[in-house]
Amino acid sequence: MFKSIRKGGRIAAVAIGIVAALTPLAAPPAALADGLPTPELEKSLAVDVEGEDSSARVTDDGNYAIIADYDYDLYDNYNDNYVYYGYSRLDFKSGEVTPIDIPKSCLSDVQSTWDNKYLYWLEDGKVIVYSVEDQQRVAHSIQVKKSEVNGIELNEDGSSLTAYCSNGKYGKVCVFNLQSNEKTFTYKFEKGDLDALLSRDGKRLYVCSNRKLKIIDIPDGSTSIKEMPGNAQCNGVTRACRSDKLLIETTSDDDSLYTTYFMADYDGNIDKVADGNKISIYDTWGKYILAITGENYDTIVIDPNTGKQIRYLIKNDDEDWIDNTDISRDGNIVLASISNDSSTVVRLIDTKTGQRVDCKIKLDSYCSPEFVDNDQKIVVDYSDAEDPTKMHIDVYKSNIHYSPIEKLIFFAQDNMPIVIGGGIALVLMIIGGIAVVCIRRKKRAAAQTSIAGTAPKAKKHKRSRHKKYAQQEQVAQQSSADSAFDTQWQTSGEPLTDISQQPVASSAPKFCRHCGTPLVPEAKFCPKCGHPVE
């Protein structure tokens, strides 16, 4: 059974791989066939805020936004140079804005998941997880002191949490199961350990230590150590969103902006990112990794699953690398925010051809546009130039069209557990169906064999009974005839008349009634006694 389940998971993964392999064969999106698309404004909303640097974090499905109300304060180092006023929830369908009740002491520690569907923070020894969609919150008692926690991370599996604590000589990492609120694993940092990261499935802890990568299996606590290629010095470990691979930054040989990145998988296989180019990664939140390289600060697009460079985008004179704010899910379109002295314009850039189109989105202040709803929408948030207490959020229809195969791939990537579970369920259903058919066939064959084995005996017994009855009846008839003959002979003393009988087709010999001598069929008189044959 377990082999069947594993096989089902492999079948689902292979199916996804086949679909992904067929993607290049699919028809190109209609929006890219004749050039870049032209976005169209769908709705424009305004939200009251206190901070001039407030921003909106849009959920990945494009239905809601988290409004983070804050100011950037150069003189407040305690809160990482930010002064927070609060958080609120915006429903794009109704336009309703609802404040989120968060203690002021926790505002600076609020974090969100990569898809912005959940907010979470540490409050009085409890981790509060707030669902943006249904506005429900769940408190998990993990019994840790806020003063000892440097940070917490809600893992992508949704059922575990990692807490980075500073108590002790070097600190430690604690993993909690949020279903039972129990601590399931603790790792104490050793000398030389720099950073730690939990895998997406919550089953492995990766520790970046000088020139080594430690891979700790959480269920059994076993540890394997992988040496960094070329004796590279580790500087930190991160993970690209929606990927199981790790990004390991190494210390640069000089003071330049660029460094060499390595990518490691779950088994600790380590390869250089972007074919060993010295780069600077600045965005890991989208479908692809964005990094800069070269003297011109050009942008390269990196596949987070392979670490390979798939696009190279040469920067124009009026552009900066920080202008590229997002990239489409197929890696073909970069969304940029180009600012000058008087205004900001949103620009679409074709990563294959370098073609650029400035959208009819011109603003008086800087913005950070992003793709949502599988690139079907573009959301732009910006401050009102005349009234800093107003923040505008505009939603545009992107007019990017994807083929059915591409949409299927997007669904599989976003719902991998469902796809794998569905594949396993399908395999189990097929196995169950085959088992039922085999059992029915076996029962049917057994029944037919039973019938075939008993039928001849029944027929044989039946024929025997018929034969026995026929013999008994014949004997009875013969006995009756002999008895009648004797009776008639004794009473009359004369030749008996023929008894009326049905003619019998028989070849039995005849005998003389007077002396018993056998007669031939043509005889008229008995050859012994001479009496006439009647």
mmCIF file of all heavy atoms in Angstrom, residues 462-500:
data_model
loop_
_atom_site.group_PDB
_atom_site.id
_atom_site.type_symbol
_atom_site.label_atom_id
_atom_site.label_comp_id
_atom_site.label_asym_id
_atom_site.label_seq_id
_atom_site.Cartn_x
_atom_site.Cartn_y
_atom_site.Cartn_z
ATOM 1 N N LYS A 462 -29.417 -38.703 -12.977
ATOM 2 C CA LYS A 462 -30.756 -38.615 -13.547
ATOM 3 C C LYS A 462 -30.969 -39.712 -14.586
ATOM 4 O O LYS A 462 -32.005 -40.375 -14.629
ATOM 5 C CB LYS A 462 -30.953 -37.236 -14.172
ATOM 6 C CG LYS A 462 -32.382 -36.978 -14.630
ATOM 7 C CD LYS A 462 -32.515 -35.539 -15.106
ATOM 8 C CE LYS A 462 -33.962 -35.251 -15.510
ATOM 9 N NZ LYS A 462 -34.102 -33.847 -15.981
ATOM 10 N N ARG A 463 -29.926 -39.928 -15.449
ATOM 11 C CA ARG A 463 -30.031 -40.977 -16.460
ATOM 12 C C ARG A 463 -30.126 -42.355 -15.788
ATOM 13 O O ARG A 463 -30.857 -43.236 -16.239
ATOM 14 C CB ARG A 463 -28.814 -40.924 -17.375
ATOM 15 C CG ARG A 463 -28.865 -39.765 -18.370
ATOM 16 C CD ARG A 463 -27.869 -39.988 -19.510
ATOM 17 N NE ARG A 463 -26.506 -40.057 -19.012
ATOM 18 C CZ ARG A 463 -25.698 -39.011 -18.933
ATOM 19 N NH1 ARG A 463 -26.141 -37.816 -19.281
ATOM 20 N NH2 ARG A 463 -24.474 -39.147 -18.488
ATOM 21 N N SER A 464 -29.351 -42.539 -14.703
ATOM 22 C CA SER A 464 -29.400 -43.811 -13.989
ATOM 23 C C SER A 464 -30.785 -44.070 -13.428
ATOM 24 O O SER A 464 -31.309 -45.197 -13.484
ATOM 25 C CB SER A 464 -28.358 -43.833 -12.871
ATOM 26 O OG SER A 464 -27.065 -43.672 -13.410
ATOM 27 N N ARG A 465 -31.389 -43.026 -12.863
ATOM 28 C CA ARG A 465 -32.739 -43.196 -12.313
ATOM 29 C C ARG A 465 -33.739 -43.547 -13.405
ATOM 30 O O ARG A 465 -34.590 -44.426 -13.244
ATOM 31 C CB ARG A 465 -33.148 -41.919 -11.577
ATOM 32 C CG ARG A 465 -32.433 -41.706 -10.242
ATOM 33 C CD ARG A 465 -33.143 -40.654 -9.410
ATOM 34 N NE ARG A 465 -33.186 -39.370 -10.069
ATOM 35 C CZ ARG A 465 -32.241 -38.447 -9.906
ATOM 36 N NH1 ARG A 465 -31.207 -38.695 -9.105
ATOM 37 N NH2 ARG A 465 -32.336 -37.287 -10.525
ATOM 38 N N HIS A 466 -33.657 -42.835 -14.578
ATOM 39 C CA HIS A 466 -34.575 -43.107 -15.684
ATOM 40 C C HIS A 466 -34.408 -44.546 -16.171
ATOM 41 O O HIS A 466 -35.389 -45.258 -16.446
ATOM 42 C CB HIS A 466 -34.324 -42.127 -16.835
ATOM 43 C CG HIS A 466 -34.933 -40.780 -16.586
ATOM 44 N ND1 HIS A 466 -36.285 -40.590 -16.365
ATOM 45 C CD2 HIS A 466 -34.371 -39.546 -16.538
ATOM 46 C CE1 HIS A 466 -36.544 -39.304 -16.178
ATOM 47 N NE2 HIS A 466 -35.377 -38.638 -16.279
ATOM 48 N N LYS A 467 -33.148 -44.984 -16.299
ATOM 49 C CA LYS A 467 -32.879 -46.331 -16.760
ATOM 50 C C LYS A 467 -33.417 -47.361 -15.778
ATOM 51 O O LYS A 467 -34.026 -48.381 -16.157
ATOM 52 C CB LYS A 467 -31.375 -46.520 -16.944
ATOM 53 C CG LYS A 467 -30.999 -47.871 -17.522
ATOM 54 C CD LYS A 467 -29.492 -47.940 -17.761
ATOM 55 C CE LYS A 467 -29.114 -49.300 -18.362
ATOM 56 N NZ LYS A 467 -27.629 -49.374 -18.600
ATOM 57 N N LYS A 468 -33.235 -47.101 -14.487
ATOM 58 C CA LYS A 468 -33.711 -48.017 -13.464
ATOM 59 C C LYS A 468 -35.219 -48.115 -13.488
ATOM 60 O O LYS A 468 -35.813 -49.217 -13.430
ATOM 61 C CB LYS A 468 -33.219 -47.550 -12.098
ATOM 62 C CG LYS A 468 -33.636 -48.455 -10.945
ATOM 63 C CD LYS A 468 -33.042 -47.930 -9.645
ATOM 64 C CE LYS A 468 -33.435 -48.838 -8.483
ATOM 65 N NZ LYS A 468 -32.880 -48.339 -7.197
ATOM 66 N N TYR A 469 -35.879 -46.942 -13.602
ATOM 67 C CA TYR A 469 -37.341 -46.943 -13.638
ATOM 68 C C TYR A 469 -37.850 -47.666 -14.876
ATOM 69 O O TYR A 469 -38.846 -48.392 -14.840
ATOM 70 C CB TYR A 469 -37.866 -45.522 -13.609
ATOM 71 C CG TYR A 469 -37.593 -44.801 -12.298
ATOM 72 C CD1 TYR A 469 -37.500 -43.414 -12.252
ATOM 73 C CD2 TYR A 469 -37.446 -45.518 -11.105
ATOM 74 C CE1 TYR A 469 -37.251 -42.754 -11.082
ATOM 75 C CE2 TYR A 469 -37.203 -44.865 -9.917
ATOM 76 C CZ TYR A 469 -37.092 -43.475 -9.900
ATOM 77 O OH TYR A 469 -36.862 -42.824 -8.739
ATOM 78 N N ALA A 470 -37.167 -47.439 -16.024
ATOM 79 C CA ALA A 470 -37.600 -48.108 -17.259
ATOM 80 C C ALA A 470 -37.473 -49.613 -17.135
ATOM 81 O O ALA A 470 -38.362 -50.373 -17.568
ATOM 82 C CB ALA A 470 -36.775 -47.593 -18.444
ATOM 83 N N GLN A 471 -36.369 -50.093 -16.555
ATOM 84 C CA GLN A 471 -36.171 -51.517 -16.384
ATOM 85 C C GLN A 471 -37.230 -52.113 -15.458
ATOM 86 O O GLN A 471 -37.798 -53.176 -15.708
ATOM 87 C CB GLN A 471 -34.766 -51.794 -15.831
ATOM 88 C CG GLN A 471 -33.650 -51.516 -16.832
ATOM 89 C CD GLN A 471 -32.266 -51.695 -16.225
ATOM 90 O OE1 GLN A 471 -32.145 -51.820 -14.994
ATOM 91 N NE2 GLN A 471 -31.245 -51.685 -17.080
ATOM 92 N N GLN A 472 -37.503 -51.385 -14.346
ATOM 93 C CA GLN A 472 -38.530 -51.854 -13.422
ATOM 94 C C GLN A 472 -39.888 -51.934 -14.087
ATOM 95 O O GLN A 472 -40.659 -52.881 -13.886
ATOM 96 C CB GLN A 472 -38.569 -50.939 -12.180
ATOM 97 C CG GLN A 472 -37.331 -51.049 -11.293
ATOM 98 C CD GLN A 472 -37.374 -50.071 -10.147
ATOM 99 O OE1 GLN A 472 -38.267 -49.207 -10.089
ATOM 100 N NE2 GLN A 472 -36.411 -50.202 -9.227
ATOM 101 N N GLU A 473 -40.206 -50.913 -14.910
ATOM 102 C CA GLU A 473 -41.502 -50.892 -15.592
ATOM 103 C C GLU A 473 -41.597 -52.044 -16.600
ATOM 104 O O GLU A 473 -42.628 -52.709 -16.725
ATOM 105 C CB GLU A 473 -41.679 -49.555 -16.290
ATOM 106 C CG GLU A 473 -43.053 -49.401 -16.950
ATOM 107 C CD GLU A 473 -43.224 -48.050 -17.596
ATOM 108 O OE1 GLU A 473 -42.269 -47.230 -17.480
ATOM 109 O OE2 GLU A 473 -44.266 -47.792 -18.190
ATOM 110 N N GLN A 474 -40.463 -52.297 -17.336
ATOM 111 C CA GLN A 474 -40.458 -53.386 -18.295
ATOM 112 C C GLN A 474 -40.655 -54.727 -17.615
ATOM 113 O O GLN A 474 -41.406 -55.589 -18.075
ATOM 114 C CB GLN A 474 -39.153 -53.373 -19.086
ATOM 115 C CG GLN A 474 -39.092 -54.400 -20.205
ATOM 116 C CD GLN A 474 -37.806 -54.303 -20.988
ATOM 117 O OE1 GLN A 474 -36.961 -53.486 -20.656
ATOM 118 N NE2 GLN A 474 -37.655 -55.156 -22.017
ATOM 119 N N VAL A 475 -39.966 -54.910 -16.498
ATOM 120 C CA VAL A 475 -40.106 -56.150 -15.748
ATOM 121 C C VAL A 475 -41.529 -56.328 -15.252
ATOM 122 O O VAL A 475 -42.132 -57.407 -15.303
ATOM 123 C CB VAL A 475 -39.105 -56.204 -14.588
ATOM 124 C CG1 VAL A 475 -39.410 -57.397 -13.666
ATOM 125 C CG2 VAL A 475 -37.694 -56.292 -15.125
ATOM 126 N N ALA A 476 -42.096 -55.192 -14.759
ATOM 127 C CA ALA A 476 -43.472 -55.258 -14.255
ATOM 128 C C ALA A 476 -44.447 -55.619 -15.362
ATOM 129 O O ALA A 476 -45.368 -56.437 -15.185
ATOM 130 C CB ALA A 476 -43.860 -53.926 -13.604
ATOM 131 N N GLN A 477 -44.265 -55.003 -16.552
ATOM 132 C CA GLN A 477 -45.154 -55.299 -17.673
ATOM 133 C C GLN A 477 -45.015 -56.774 -18.085
ATOM 134 O O GLN A 477 -46.002 -57.459 -18.393
ATOM 135 C CB GLN A 477 -44.832 -54.368 -18.842
ATOM 136 C CG GLN A 477 -45.225 -52.917 -18.587
ATOM 137 C CD GLN A 477 -44.827 -52.019 -19.748
ATOM 138 O OE1 GLN A 477 -44.183 -52.492 -20.700
ATOM 139 N NE2 GLN A 477 -45.212 -50.754 -19.635
ATOM 140 N N GLN A 478 -43.757 -57.271 -18.147
ATOM 141 C CA GLN A 478 -43.538 -58.658 -18.535
ATOM 142 C C GLN A 478 -44.173 -59.616 -17.524
ATOM 143 O O GLN A 478 -44.803 -60.625 -17.885
ATOM 144 C CB GLN A 478 -42.018 -58.927 -18.634
ATOM 145 C CG GLN A 478 -41.691 -60.324 -19.133
ATOM 146 C CD GLN A 478 -42.122 -60.550 -20.579
ATOM 147 O OE1 GLN A 478 -42.098 -59.606 -21.388
ATOM 148 N NE2 GLN A 478 -42.559 -61.781 -20.910
ATOM 149 N N SER A 479 -44.041 -59.290 -16.252
ATOM 150 C CA SER A 479 -44.645 -60.127 -15.206
ATOM 151 C C SER A 479 -46.155 -60.156 -15.329
ATOM 152 O O SER A 479 -46.808 -61.201 -15.176
ATOM 153 C CB SER A 479 -44.237 -59.618 -13.819
ATOM 154 O OG SER A 479 -42.832 -59.662 -13.690
ATOM 155 N N SER A 480 -46.747 -58.998 -15.619
ATOM 156 C CA SER A 480 -48.211 -58.933 -15.764
ATOM 157 C C SER A 480 -48.668 -59.764 -16.944
ATOM 158 O O SER A 480 -49.683 -60.473 -16.901
ATOM 159 C CB SER A 480 -48.649 -57.471 -15.930
ATOM 160 O OG SER A 480 -48.287 -56.744 -14.784
ATOM 161 N N ALA A 481 -47.911 -59.663 -18.052
ATOM 162 C CA ALA A 481 -48.303 -60.425 -19.253
ATOM 163 C C ALA A 481 -48.214 -61.921 -19.010
ATOM 164 O O ALA A 481 -49.110 -62.707 -19.383
ATOM 165 C CB ALA A 481 -47.411 -60.022 -20.424
ATOM 166 N N ASP A 482 -47.133 -62.389 -18.379
ATOM 167 C CA ASP A 482 -46.980 -63.811 -18.092
ATOM 168 C C ASP A 482 -48.069 -64.319 -17.165
ATOM 169 O O ASP A 482 -48.616 -65.427 -17.330
ATOM 170 C CB ASP A 482 -45.618 -64.085 -17.471
ATOM 171 C CG ASP A 482 -44.488 -63.832 -18.462
ATOM 172 O OD1 ASP A 482 -44.783 -63.740 -19.675
ATOM 173 O OD2 ASP A 482 -43.316 -63.672 -18.003
ATOM 174 N N SER A 483 -48.424 -63.500 -16.175
ATOM 175 C CA SER A 483 -49.462 -63.891 -15.220
ATOM 176 C C SER A 483 -50.813 -64.036 -15.916
ATOM 177 O O SER A 483 -51.563 -64.988 -15.693
ATOM 178 C CB SER A 483 -49.542 -62.871 -14.081
ATOM 179 O OG SER A 483 -50.592 -63.187 -13.209
ATOM 180 N N ALA A 484 -51.108 -63.099 -16.794
ATOM 181 C CA ALA A 484 -52.396 -63.165 -17.522
ATOM 182 C C ALA A 484 -52.440 -64.382 -18.440
ATOM 183 O O ALA A 484 -53.462 -65.070 -18.585
ATOM 184 C CB ALA A 484 -52.581 -61.873 -18.332
ATOM 185 N N PHE A 485 -51.277 -64.672 -19.063
ATOM 186 C CA PHE A 485 -51.223 -65.847 -19.967
ATOM 187 C C PHE A 485 -51.464 -67.138 -19.204
ATOM 188 O O PHE A 485 -52.275 -68.002 -19.603
ATOM 189 C CB PHE A 485 -49.868 -65.888 -20.661
ATOM 190 C CG PHE A 485 -49.630 -67.139 -21.456
ATOM 191 C CD1 PHE A 485 -50.204 -67.293 -22.730
ATOM 192 C CD2 PHE A 485 -48.863 -68.177 -20.944
ATOM 193 C CE1 PHE A 485 -49.994 -68.459 -23.458
ATOM 194 C CE2 PHE A 485 -48.657 -69.330 -21.679
ATOM 195 C CZ PHE A 485 -49.207 -69.482 -22.935
ATOM 196 N N ASP A 486 -50.833 -67.287 -18.078
ATOM 197 C CA ASP A 486 -50.990 -68.501 -17.300
ATOM 198 C C ASP A 486 -52.410 -68.672 -16.801
ATOM 199 O O ASP A 486 -52.984 -69.770 -16.814
ATOM 200 C CB ASP A 486 -50.026 -68.517 -16.105
ATOM 201 C CG ASP A 486 -48.570 -68.604 -16.582
ATOM 202 O OD1 ASP A 486 -48.334 -69.044 -17.740
ATOM 203 O OD2 ASP A 486 -47.657 -68.201 -15.797
ATOM 204 N N THR A 487 -53.009 -67.571 -16.366
ATOM 205 C CA THR A 487 -54.378 -67.637 -15.834
ATOM 206 C C THR A 487 -55.350 -68.073 -16.916
ATOM 207 O O THR A 487 -56.218 -68.944 -16.724
ATOM 208 C CB THR A 487 -54.799 -66.279 -15.261
ATOM 209 O OG1 THR A 487 -53.867 -65.900 -14.240
ATOM 210 C CG2 THR A 487 -56.213 -66.342 -14.696
ATOM 211 N N GLN A 488 -55.236 -67.446 -18.073
ATOM 212 C CA GLN A 488 -56.146 -67.785 -19.169
ATOM 213 C C GLN A 488 -55.949 -69.234 -19.631
ATOM 214 O O GLN A 488 -56.875 -69.979 -19.959
ATOM 215 C CB GLN A 488 -55.925 -66.816 -20.331
ATOM 216 C CG GLN A 488 -56.892 -67.020 -21.468
ATOM 217 C CD GLN A 488 -56.729 -65.971 -22.565
ATOM 218 O OE1 GLN A 488 -55.870 -65.111 -22.429
ATOM 219 N NE2 GLN A 488 -57.556 -66.068 -23.615
ATOM 220 N N TRP A 489 -54.764 -69.735 -19.695
ATOM 221 C CA TRP A 489 -54.463 -71.119 -20.138
ATOM 222 C C TRP A 489 -55.042 -72.130 -19.168
ATOM 223 O O TRP A 489 -55.601 -73.130 -19.557
ATOM 224 C CB TRP A 489 -52.956 -71.269 -20.241
ATOM 225 C CG TRP A 489 -52.530 -72.692 -20.544
ATOM 226 C CD1 TRP A 489 -52.111 -73.658 -19.690
ATOM 227 C CD2 TRP A 489 -52.537 -73.288 -21.813
ATOM 228 N NE1 TRP A 489 -51.820 -74.819 -20.300
ATOM 229 C CE2 TRP A 489 -52.084 -74.626 -21.651
ATOM 230 C CE3 TRP A 489 -52.886 -72.865 -23.121
ATOM 231 C CZ2 TRP A 489 -51.981 -75.516 -22.716
ATOM 232 C CZ3 TRP A 489 -52.766 -73.771 -24.162
ATOM 233 C CH2 TRP A 489 -52.308 -75.062 -23.973
ATOM 234 N N GLN A 490 -54.947 -71.812 -17.853
ATOM 235 C CA GLN A 490 -55.423 -72.745 -16.859
ATOM 236 C C GLN A 490 -56.946 -72.813 -16.817
ATOM 237 O O GLN A 490 -57.548 -73.852 -16.591
ATOM 238 C CB GLN A 490 -54.884 -72.389 -15.470
ATOM 239 C CG GLN A 490 -53.368 -72.578 -15.359
ATOM 240 C CD GLN A 490 -52.838 -72.102 -14.039
ATOM 241 O OE1 GLN A 490 -53.624 -71.622 -13.199
ATOM 242 N NE2 GLN A 490 -51.518 -72.237 -13.848
ATOM 243 N N THR A 491 -57.675 -71.761 -17.035
ATOM 244 C CA THR A 491 -59.134 -71.740 -16.892
ATOM 245 C C THR A 491 -59.850 -72.287 -18.126
ATOM 246 O O THR A 491 -60.875 -72.970 -18.017
ATOM 247 C CB THR A 491 -59.615 -70.306 -16.638
ATOM 248 O OG1 THR A 491 -59.119 -69.470 -17.696
ATOM 249 C CG2 THR A 491 -59.075 -69.791 -15.313
ATOM 250 N N SER A 492 -59.396 -72.039 -19.279
ATOM 251 C CA SER A 492 -60.124 -72.441 -20.491
ATOM 252 C C SER A 492 -59.598 -73.732 -21.095
ATOM 253 O O SER A 492 -60.318 -74.487 -21.705
ATOM 254 C CB SER A 492 -60.052 -71.335 -21.551
ATOM 255 O OG SER A 492 -58.686 -71.117 -21.932
ATOM 256 N N GLY A 493 -58.308 -73.958 -20.955
ATOM 257 C CA GLY A 493 -57.741 -75.157 -21.572
ATOM 258 C C GLY A 493 -57.691 -75.061 -23.067
ATOM 259 O O GLY A 493 -57.394 -76.034 -23.742
ATOM 260 N N GLU A 494 -58.096 -73.962 -23.612
ATOM 261 C CA GLU A 494 -58.110 -73.751 -25.048
ATOM 262 C C GLU A 494 -57.071 -72.697 -25.416
ATOM 263 O O GLU A 494 -56.636 -71.923 -24.571
ATOM 264 C CB GLU A 494 -59.490 -73.289 -25.501
ATOM 265 C CG GLU A 494 -60.574 -74.330 -25.252
ATOM 266 C CD GLU A 494 -61.935 -73.841 -25.718
ATOM 267 O OE1 GLU A 494 -61.980 -72.643 -26.173
ATOM 268 O OE2 GLU A 494 -62.889 -74.578 -25.619
ATOM 269 N N PRO A 495 -56.767 -72.715 -26.738
ATOM 270 C CA PRO A 495 -55.796 -71.659 -27.149
ATOM 271 C C PRO A 495 -56.320 -70.279 -26.823
ATOM 272 O O PRO A 495 -57.519 -69.992 -26.996
ATOM 273 C CB PRO A 495 -55.665 -71.872 -28.652
ATOM 274 C CG PRO A 495 -56.098 -73.282 -28.882
ATOM 275 C CD PRO A 495 -57.139 -73.610 -27.859
ATOM 276 N N LEU A 496 -55.463 -69.560 -26.307
ATOM 277 C CA LEU A 496 -55.843 -68.180 -25.928
ATOM 278 C C LEU A 496 -55.893 -67.287 -27.148
ATOM 279 O O LEU A 496 -55.092 -67.428 -28.086
ATOM 280 C CB LEU A 496 -54.825 -67.614 -24.938
ATOM 281 C CG LEU A 496 -54.722 -68.367 -23.598
ATOM 282 C CD1 LEU A 496 -53.634 -67.737 -22.745
ATOM 283 C CD2 LEU A 496 -56.032 -68.390 -22.859
ATOM 284 N N THR A 497 -56.844 -66.418 -27.149
ATOM 285 C CA THR A 497 -56.938 -65.431 -28.232
ATOM 286 C C THR A 497 -55.895 -64.359 -27.995
ATOM 287 O O THR A 497 -55.431 -64.130 -26.859
ATOM 288 C CB THR A 497 -58.337 -64.806 -28.280
ATOM 289 O OG1 THR A 497 -58.578 -64.187 -27.037
ATOM 290 C CG2 THR A 497 -59.382 -65.875 -28.554
ATOM 291 N N ASP A 498 -55.553 -63.730 -29.097
ATOM 292 C CA ASP A 498 -54.549 -62.656 -28.971
ATOM 293 C C ASP A 498 -55.078 -61.521 -28.115
ATOM 294 O O ASP A 498 -56.243 -61.110 -28.262
ATOM 295 C CB ASP A 498 -54.183 -62.129 -30.349
ATOM 296 C CG ASP A 498 -53.420 -63.168 -31.156
ATOM 297 O OD1 ASP A 498 -52.798 -64.042 -30.505
ATOM 298 O OD2 ASP A 498 -53.425 -63.067 -32.400
ATOM 299 N N ILE A 499 -54.246 -61.107 -27.231
ATOM 300 C CA ILE A 499 -54.589 -59.946 -26.393
ATOM 301 C C ILE A 499 -54.293 -58.694 -27.191
ATOM 302 O O ILE A 499 -53.222 -58.544 -27.776
ATOM 303 C CB ILE A 499 -53.775 -59.954 -25.099
ATOM 304 C CG1 ILE A 499 -54.083 -61.225 -24.305
ATOM 305 C CG2 ILE A 499 -54.062 -58.702 -24.271
ATOM 306 C CD1 ILE A 499 -53.247 -61.392 -23.059
ATOM 307 N N SER A 500 -55.270 -57.837 -27.223
ATOM 308 C CA SER A 500 -55.112 -56.596 -28.025
ATOM 309 C C SER A 500 -53.973 -55.755 -27.438
ATOM 310 O O SER A 500 -54.050 -55.318 -26.293
ATOM 311 C CB SER A 500 -56.414 -55.811 -28.015
ATOM 312 O OG SER A 500 -56.239 -54.617 -28.738
#
